[in-house]
Amino acid sequence: MEKITALYCRFAYGDNPEVIEQQKQHLTDFARENGFSNLKFYIDSGVSGLTMDRPAFCEMMNDMEQGEICTVIAEDASRICRRSSVSSEYIEEIFPSLGAAFLPAGREEEQSLMDVLLSSRESQNQQET
């Protein structure tokens, strides 16, 4: 069975289909351009990124715990959580411990400081091995 490439979308300020559709299109384009397949969307619309108790995020984590997900793609690390320490823990520790990698799909000029720092750490870790 081919593992899932999870495309995670979140927008906190009410149910805004236009913003979610833009995220979906961007993540789909990014995934296809980079050779990912078996795409599955996990979408939390109108849910704050300050809480980890989000329906689609919890579903994604459950699928990850079942070994069904190999990669999580989101626009940036802040989609995972608005608290950088929590995002970092998920991206650097929890996801990898469950066999999944995280990829930010944001354009380089749009990356958050957290994305830049995480990319820098990843590059440094690869050079050390």
Side-chain angles (χ1 to χ4, degrees), residues 44-98:
D44 283 312
S45 186
V47 184
S48 171
L50 293 174
T51 178
M52 299 312 288
D53 187 22
R54 293 174 256 144
F57 186 82
C58 291
E59 177 187 356
M60 182 178 74
M61 290 305 300
N62 184 57
D63 289 350
M64 199 179 302
E65 289 165 0
Q66 299 302 313
E68 297 175 8
I69 295 174
C70 61
T71 306
V72 176
I73 301 173
E75 282 201 346
D76 57 45
S78 72
R79 297 300 92 198
I80 302 303
C81 184
R82 287 306 240 174
R83 292 187 189 103
S84 61
S85 61
V86 175
S87 277
S88 180
E89 179 181 9
Y90 272 85
I91 291 167
E92 295 181 335
E93 296 173 29
I94 296 171
F95 291 173
S97 75
L98 297 172

Side-chain angles (χ1 to χ4, degrees), residues 16-30:
N16 190 329
E18 183 178 299
V19 172
I20 293 296
E21 287 305 314
Q22 289 170 353
Q23 283 186 41
K24 286 173 63 176
Q25 186 61 56
H26 182 235
L27 296 182
T28 300
D29 292 346
F30 179 87

